[in-house]
């Protein structure tokens, strides 16, 4: 089951220019998600990061993973209408540059889920190359 941008915006509160998801390819509510971010030269952060060599900031790649994880959690009936907040980021690693024209595939697996918190493992890919990965701790409020 996939989702378009309108369906994503019905689940998470993020809006442009901070919505970092374009579509969801596959989701198992509360368990896993694969989402896509098409990285274009028109992204506002490229104006300053870096003007002569545009590179997507690593923190925004982690944010994109967190937004994907939030869709997986907040699409569950018991969390509809709530917001997922960062509780922590562990073991973040950046392995491959993300540049204009890349398609960022965001895969998040939810490993723990409680009443108001959880942990997900996220991996961002460009093609088959790992661009970034991190453990994402989230709070639901």
């Amino acid at each position: 089951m996939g989702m378009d941008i309108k369906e994503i915006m019905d689940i998470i509160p993020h809006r442009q220019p901070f919505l970092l998801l374009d579509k969801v390819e596959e989701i198992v509510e509360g368990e896993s998600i694969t989402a896509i971010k098409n990285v274009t030269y028109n992204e506002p952060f490229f104006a300053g990061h870096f003007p002569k060599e545009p590179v997507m900031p690593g923190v925004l790649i982690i944010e994109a993973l967190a937004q994907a994880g939030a869709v997986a959690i907040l699409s569950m009936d018991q969390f509809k209408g709530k917001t997922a907040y960062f509780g922590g980021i562990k073991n973040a690693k950046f392995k491959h540059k993300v540049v204009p024209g890349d398609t960022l595939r965001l895969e998040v697996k939810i490993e723990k889920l409680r009443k108001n918190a959880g942990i997900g493992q996220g991996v961002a890919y460009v093609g088959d190359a790992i661009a970034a990965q991190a453990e994402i701790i989230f709070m639901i409020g």
Side-chain angles (χ1 to χ4, degrees):
M1 168 188 141
M3 292 181 192
D4 63 21
I5 196 147
K6 184 179 179 317
E7 292 169 300
I8 292 167
M9 290 191 315
D10 286 343
I11 296 171
I12 60 175
H14 304 76
R15 296 296 181 263
Q16 297 299 338
F18 208 68
L19 178 61
L20 299 173
L21 306 176
D22 291 318
K23 69 179 179 178
V24 170
E25 290 189 326
E26 188 176 330
I27 183 172
V28 178
E29 293 176 0
E31 293 181 23
S32 64
I33 188 167
T34 300
I36 299 294
K37 166 65 177 157
N38 295 308
V39 182
T40 70
Y41 191 77
N42 296 327
E43 307 290 345
F45 48 80
F46 285 137
H49 197 271
F50 303 101
K52 294 184 180 184
E53 183 189 355
V55 176
M56 185 173 183
V59 295
L60 293 182
I61 298 169
I62 301 298
E63 173 65 26
L65 285 167
Q67 288 181 20
V71 171
I73 298 302
L74 300 177
S75 61
M76 299 173 65
D77 285 340
Q78 68 261 42
F79 299 125
K80 284 191 189 309
K82 301 211 177 213
T83 301
Y85 300 96
F86 264 125
I89 303 165
K90 289 185 178 178
N91 303 318
K93 294 183 176 121
F94 303 95
K95 300 179 175 208
H96 187 279
K97 286 194 299 188
V98 178
V99 300
D102 283 346
T103 297
L104 197 57
R105 188 175 76 251
L106 307 155
E107 297 183 3
V108 180
K109 291 185 179 15
I110 306 304
E111 293 192 335
K112 285 187 182 179
L113 182 58
R114 297 223 161 75
K115 175 170 97 169
N116 63 350
I119 297 172
Q121 293 293 333
V123 182
Y125 296 89
V126 174
D128 291 331
I130 294 175
Q133 60 191 59
E135 178 178 279
I136 300 165
I137 302 160
F138 56 89
M139 307 300 290
I140 302 166

